[in-house]
Amino acid sequence: MASENTRKWAIIPEPNSMTVGEGTVLLPYAGRVNESIAIGDGDFLLAHQLVADIRSATGTDWDIATGDMWSGFIRLRIADSWDFDSQDGGTAGAYTLTINTDGITITGCDFEGVRNGVQTLRQLIRQNGGVLPELQIADAPACQIRGYYLDATRGRVPTLAWLKQWADKLCLYKYNQLQLYIEHTFAFDGMSETWRGSSPLTPADTLEFDQYCANLGIELVPSVSTFGHQYVAMRTQELRELGEFPEDADRPFSFIERMRHHTLNVADDRAFAFSAQLVDSYLQLFRSKRFNICADETFDLGKGKSKQEAQRVGVAALYATYVGKLCEHLSKQGREPMFWGDIAVEMPEILETLPNNVTLLNWQYEPEATDEKIQLVAQAGAKQIVCPAVWGWNALLPRIDDAWNNIARIARYGIDCGAEGMLVTDWGDFGHINDPRMAVPGMIFGAHYAWNPAEDSVGKTDGNTAENSAGDSAENDLLERISRVEYGDCSARFVTLLRNASAQAVFTWRELVEYLELDDGTGNCNTDVAQTIPCLADRLVDHLSDCGNAMTVREARNRMMRNMETTIERIPQANRKLQQCMVEIAPIMAHIGKPGIAAAVRIAMEGQLLLNRVGFALAEAHDVRDAHDAGDWRPSDYRALARELECWCEAYAKEWNATSQQSELHRIQETVWKAADELRRISK
């Protein structure tokens, strides 16, 4: 295959076999795409995709036809017989692409194969315009299931228009499955108290989007929480009695508590009726036979209302019985159950109880994850899909190094252990501060490694900072190719600069939320929040025994900020580096002509500059850093910083609307305003 150093174009995912010739092929100014009707593309969407890209790249209009009586410079067809054998023994999704002076031919073993070949050609057209390289490609995916999992519940509910744009992008990079995570943001009948004010998705949205995805060759799989993560539902007047701790239903809202509490009390027979109703009504809106019941992070199981039953049968049995009952309920309706595997992996005896048609979604998000958990499930003989992450949650800027390390490793482990596929997750903890457009590099990592998980690209083992990654040729090469293919950046520096900027996030959205939510509203420390912060969790018990009373919020915040002292020292230098990244990336964004991306990146970088300054100001307020230690930079005017935060928040809200409904934007705003008020308070 031709070296990337000798050509200015790339294909993502990288094909398994590609031979590039010496010549070029000029697209005719009035050409035609002939798409065989045997492909099964009823609306000739694939031909229309090519015609649209040719028009965008060359300004010329092409025709579309089908049947052997019509010539076509680009020919799309299904193979009469298929002899291209993928490395992993399957042929689904396989294709060949030939570009020579006689024209362009894409041959697939099935609809998905033709679709995949068309996406490769589209990438070439977008980069090369009307003059394409001579080449031959024979290609097939390593993973048969290449899915993306998008949080649509913890703050952001995407607009239908943006969801379609995202599906288009997933198609371009050859994904074939998509799931939307739903807790309370769907307009189920009889549950208006749960979804009110959340801008919920509707049955009509789902039917339209399901059809849209199907046309693109993407399976839209229903996914809804049926066990853990019932925070909003279990705080309602109508449903709170179904929770493990109904007495906590009226506590003030907390981003952190939402991530950890309000598990369904499955010892109550009404709980199954509640979950079954969710499942039964939701599945009717999808053509997929798969259904993800989630069932992850059931932190409160056996600790509240179900404690007596858990003591009688054991927590593992209580969990397995309930999940098994839901899976059986789905199986009777001809559905294939899926659920997150964290509890089953922690309690391996659960693995032995799984029916044969159940798929475990085995998630691991550590940048340097091992294959231990994946091996465990494989050895138990259970079906699994491996699930890495794009590493965008709780941050304005994506942690690109962490995403690359995690995704590259998990893909390789999944292939080695015979996993059925890979599902790349994109979470929105703590209000979904992360703009979903920031996840594109991580999404493309997933596309690349699910298709072709190269042996020499399993991730770094010596750390994951920007400095360490500078010498990692596999990651750097992929960052350059993403810059070219996705962003049209001829300098191939865009994603690298975004990666470098993210490395300057010292005081993040997570730290800000933790700091603010340590206040329980009475001047005391919120112990549920403190227990999630390592430097405070161990100290809570000791403090109570030493002092005889609860830790105050001031004491908790002091300890938190002092624990960050060495980190806080980085802020002046980090902000100077971040500002330099902004200077270098600005002309690139202007040249590539994507104003939406430019605005999202600018808002994210400006926001991180401000977060760093807020962290520095809070450290000063807690006497962690003295003003003279800041050298030539310090946030000298806290009130001015508060005003900057509020102005930034207005700009952020406008960008929010580019992808998302209002949903929980107000919670982001309220958090920023609390931070601004805190700055004004400490300035007195």
Side-chain angles (χ1 to χ4, degrees):
M1 186 170 69
S3 169
E4 289 287 347
N5 295 327
T6 63
R7 52 182 165 86
K8 298 299 183 182
W9 52 268
I11 298 170
I12 304 174
E14 188 172 345
N16 289 300
S17 173
M18 179 165 69
T19 302
V20 181
E22 297 295 328
T24 58
V25 175
L26 179 65
L27 294 179
Y29 67 88
R32 178 183 292 131
V33 179
N34 184 299
E35 179 178 351
S36 170
I37 200 167
I39 293 170
D41 177 17
D43 294 329
F44 298 99
L45 175 67
L46 299 178
H48 283 291
Q49 285 182 328
L50 288 169
V51 168
D53 278 336
I54 291 169
R55 182 185 300 114
S56 178
T58 70
T60 59
D61 288 313
W62 277 40
D63 191 18
I64 293 173
T66 190
D68 56 13
M69 298 296 293
W70 297 92
S71 62
F73 191 80
I74 298 177
R75 300 171 291 275
L76 312 180
R77 66 184 187 91
I78 292 284
D80 295 330
S81 62
W82 190 258
D83 58 6
F84 177 70
D85 203 11
S86 81
Q87 295 176 351
D88 296 286
T91 57
Y95 71 93
T96 61
L97 167 62
T98 302
I99 303 177
N100 56 37
T101 55
D102 293 330
I104 300 171
T105 302
I106 294 172
T107 304
C109 69
D110 51 15
F111 166 79
E112 185 179 343
V114 178
R115 183 205 71 149
N116 293 335
V118 166
Q119 307 318 308
T120 296
L121 180 56
R122 292 177 67 201
Q123 291 183 21
L124 290 170
I125 291 169
R126 290 182 175 198
Q127 295 170 82
N128 294 282
V131 182
L132 303 181
E134 282 189 335
L135 56 72
Q136 287 185 317
I137 290 174
D139 202 10
C143 295
Q144 289 304 307
I145 295 175
R146 303 176 303 284
Y148 197 84
Y149 195 87
L150 178 65
D151 191 336
T153 210
R154 288 178 179 162
R156 288 182 188 267
V157 175
T159 64
L160 183 58
W162 186 82
L163 282 173
K164 290 178 179 180
Q165 292 176 30
W166 192 249
D168 289 337
K169 198 173 294 294
L170 293 176
C171 175
L172 180 64
Y173 294 104
K174 304 183 178 74
Y175 277 89
N176 61 7
Q177 188 183 110
L178 172 62
Q179 299 187 31
L180 303 180
Y181 176 55
I182 298 294
E183 289 175 10
H184 64 284
T185 53
F186 194 83
F188 289 105
D189 282 352
M191 292 184 63
S192 56
E193 189 187 2
T194 300
W195 50 253
R196 66 188 184 188
S198 69
S199 306
L201 293 168
T202 67
D205 294 331
T206 302
L207 291 171
E208 183 175 342
F209 190 50
D210 185 64
Q211 181 65 58
Y212 192 86
C213 288
N215 291 344
L216 293 170
I218 296 172
E219 178 186 12
L220 185 64
V221 175
S223 173
V224 66
S225 285
T226 59
F227 198 163
H229 290 297
Q230 294 289 345
Y231 184 76
V232 177
M234 297 301 105
R235 285 162 57 86
T236 64
Q237 295 293 329
E238 293 189 18
L239 296 172
R240 63 177 60 192
E241 290 303 319
L242 297 183
E244 286 277 12
F245 294 102
E247 63 271 19
D248 290 342
D250 293 322
R251 288 171 61 113
F253 175 87
S254 164
F255 283 132
I256 293 172
E257 289 186 45
R258 175 158 75 178
M259 297 301 300
R260 299 186 60 81
H261 292 298
H262 294 276
T263 299
L264 203 61
N265 170 22
V266 297
D268 188 327
D269 291 339
R270 294 175 298 173
F272 181 77
F274 167 75
S275 295
Q277 182 179 357
L278 291 179
V279 167
D280 292 348
S281 57
Y282 203 43
L283 65 80
Q284 292 181 354
L285 305 175
F286 297 80
R287 68 192 65 202
S288 173
K289 293 300 182 183
R290 297 181 173 93
F291 196 107
N292 180 4
I293 62 172
C294 294
D296 58 317
E297 296 186 327
T298 52
F299 296 117
D300 295 333
L301 181 63
K303 297 178 181 178
K305 290 283 190 177
S306 70
K307 185 174 183 178
Q308 185 175 354
E309 181 67 9
Q311 290 174 338
R312 187 180 72 84
V313 303
V315 173
L318 189 61
Y319 178 90
T321 299
Y322 192 75
V323 170
K325 191 175 179 182
L326 277 176
C327 290
E328 182 182 5
H329 180 75
L330 279 164
S331 298
K332 287 179 178 178
Q333 300 179 71
R335 305 287 169 153
E336 300 173 17
M338 313 168 98
F339 69 95
W340 297 109
D342 52 309
I343 306 301
V345 168
E346 288 175 10
M347 304 176 185
E349 60 267 35
I350 294 173
L351 295 173
E352 300 173 2
T353 70
L354 296 180
N356 292 332
N357 69 331
V358 173
T359 301
L360 203 72
L361 301 174
N362 197 351
W363 61 268
Q364 291 186 85
Y365 302 151
E366 300 87 354
E368 297 184 8
T370 69
D371 65 350
E372 181 179 358
K373 293 180 180 179
I374 298 172
Q375 289 275 13
L376 175 68
V377 175
Q379 290 167 4
K383 294 196 299 183
Q384 67 176 320
I385 291 175
V386 294
C387 308
V390 299
W391 272 87
W393 63 85
N394 298 341
L396 288 166
L397 293 165
R399 286 150 291 189
I400 290 176
D401 279 339
D402 289 340
W404 183 82
N405 267 287
N406 178 235
I407 291 169
R409 289 172 185 277
I410 297 301
R412 185 69 260 165
Y413 300 155
I415 292 296
D416 291 344
C417 292
E420 294 194 331
M422 186 162 79
L423 183 67
V424 181
T425 63
D426 184 355
W427 295 105
D429 309 7
F430 294 15
H432 213 146
I433 190 76
N434 40 311
D435 189 308
R437 291 169 291 187
M438 291 297 181
V440 169
M443 178 272 285
I444 298 177
F445 291 166
H448 176 76
Y449 287 110
W451 189 277
N452 191 357
E455 291 281 2
D456 59 351
S457 302
V458 183
K460 301 180 291 296
T461 58
D462 59 345
N464 53 32
T465 65
E467 289 78 12
N468 286 334
S469 68
D472 196 308
S473 59
E475 181 185 8
N476 289 338
D477 173 70
L478 187 50
L479 296 186
E480 290 179 2
R481 288 192 285 131
I482 294 172
S483 294
R484 292 185 187 280
V485 176
E486 171 62 23
Y487 298 103
D489 171 25
C490 295
S491 74
R493 298 181 63 228
F494 179 84
V495 184
T496 298
L497 287 169
L498 186 61
R499 186 268 306 273
N500 293 346
S502 71
Q504 311 313 319
V506 179
F507 192 79
T508 68
W509 180 252
R510 181 187 182 94
E511 278 90 33
L512 179 62
V513 170
E514 288 174 339
Y515 181 92
L516 295 174
E517 290 196 357
L518 278 170
D519 187 348
D520 70 355
T522 67
N524 288 319
C525 173
N526 184 324
T527 55
D528 278 345
V529 172
Q531 287 170 0
T532 69
I533 305 173
C535 69
L536 295 178
D538 295 337
R539 182 58 182 153
L540 287 173
V541 176
D542 294 340
H543 186 278
L544 187 60
S545 61
D546 292 344
C547 305
N549 56 13
M551 185 183 294
T552 67
V553 66
R554 177 70 184 181
E555 290 167 331
R557 286 173 170 175
N558 272 337
R559 188 170 185 85
M560 174 185 170
M561 297 309 298
R562 290 187 181 280
N563 188 66
M564 293 187 67
E565 181 172 2
T566 56
T567 303
I568 294 293
E569 290 176 349
R570 289 187 49 228
I571 286 177
Q573 182 182 17
N575 269 17
R576 284 191 287 269
K577 289 183 177 180
L578 183 49
Q579 287 170 327
Q580 183 58 37
C581 286
M582 293 171 67
V583 169
E584 294 182 35
I585 208 168
I588 295 175
M589 291 191 297
H591 187 264
I592 63 179
K594 294 180 181 289
I597 297 300
V601 169
R602 178 64 185 273
I603 292 298
M605 289 186 175
E606 291 282 4
Q608 187 55 58
L609 284 170
L610 289 169
L611 282 175
N612 283 348
R613 291 172 60 193
V614 170
F616 198 91
L618 295 176
E620 285 189 338
H622 289 275
D623 299 321
V624 174
R625 302 301 309 154
D626 294 326
H628 68 268
D629 291 334
D632 62 352
W633 181 91
R634 66 181 293 267
S636 57
D637 188 340
Y638 298 158
R639 292 186 179 185
L641 179 55
R643 291 192 293 269
E644 288 184 63
L645 270 177
E646 288 159 343
C647 291
W648 172 84
C649 192
E650 290 303 301
Y652 174 86
K654 291 178 181 177
E655 278 310 303
W656 175 286
N657 294 331
T659 63
S660 311
Q661 301 181 64
Q662 284 294 295
S663 40
E664 294 186 31
L665 172 61
H666 67 96
R667 298 200 189 279
I668 300 286
Q669 294 170 314
E670 289 162 5
T671 301
V672 173
W673 298 336
K674 284 182 183 178
D677 291 344
E678 183 69 15
L679 289 169
R680 291 188 175 98
R681 186 189 66 78
I682 65 177
S683 70
K684 295 178 180 178

